[in-house]
Amino acid sequence: MTFNRLAIGLALIGAGFVAGVATSVAVAEREDPLIYVVDFMQVEPADKAAYERLERETWKAVHAERIERGLMRGWGLYEVRYPLGTAKPYDYATVNVYDSFEDAERDPALLFPDVHPQRSAEDVIAETRAARELVRGEIWYRLDSLGDAVLAPR
């Protein structure tokens, strides 16, 4: 077991998302594991159009290549429309779906020469960081589902 897999497994346990899975080894033993990396972003109102364009025109193409190569199962960009409560800690969420922790740990920047040869990964990452604030990220592991709740089916 690699240190990263152990760290992710411990983070899941600490965050309360695994409900009884003791380590990432137990996750790997599942017949059809799905790993969801969910990032929550806060975007200034004046920057929303630019942020959405960055996700749709730059990152979506990178994720499409990852899916084509079998390194990723699915991707989604979501906007919060109607928050409940008194606070709105984030405006957007992205969900990346993987078959394994190994796939989730792969650096998407390595695909930039193939997907966006005219742009450096460093420039895009700097642009991304300037466009939004990452409020938090979570790693979810699917325990069970039915019907449309099955995100990114095979």
Side-chain angles (χ1 to χ4, degrees):
M1 176 184 322
T2 67
F3 177 77
N4 286 341
R5 289 185 68 201
L6 177 60
I8 289 171
L10 292 173
L12 287 169
I13 292 167
F17 290 109
V18 177
V21 177
T23 67
S24 60
V25 172
V27 172
E29 292 172 359
R30 299 269 311 200
E31 185 176 306
D32 186 24
L34 281 181
I35 308 301
Y36 301 88
V37 177
V38 184
D39 290 325
F40 300 92
M41 273 70 72
Q42 181 70 275
V43 178
E44 293 296 325
D47 297 333
K48 286 187 173 199
Y51 171 71
E52 288 178 21
R53 187 172 44 257
L54 178 67
E55 286 286 356
R56 288 183 171 137
E57 295 176 5
T58 302
W59 286 108
K60 186 176 182 179
V62 172
H63 299 318
E65 183 66 21
R66 295 169 85 189
I67 292 166
E68 178 69 26
R69 293 184 186 195
L71 304 174
M72 181 183 226
R73 190 104 163 248
W75 170 85
L77 171 64
Y78 302 88
E79 180 180 10
V80 177
R81 290 293 178 134
Y82 302 105
L84 301 175
T86 60
K88 185 179 177 189
Y90 55 88
D91 302 302
Y92 294 90
T94 58
V95 179
N96 300 329
V97 185
Y98 302 96
D99 285 317
S100 67
F101 285 118
E102 290 82 11
D103 287 342
E105 293 172 345
R106 295 181 204 281
D107 185 359
L110 298 175
L111 296 176
F112 267 81
D114 295 333
V115 179
H116 297 295
Q118 71 285 5
R119 302 187 68 192
S120 74
E122 293 80 16
D123 288 347
V124 172
I125 291 169
E127 181 182 354
T128 301
R129 287 182 178 149
R132 52 68 170 162
E133 178 186 349
L134 176 63
V135 175
R136 81 172 183 268
E138 299 175 351
I139 299 171
W140 299 354
Y141 171 70
R142 184 185 72 188
L143 294 176
D144 205 352
S145 62
L146 286 172
D148 289 338
V150 180
L151 299 177
R154 288 189 194 271

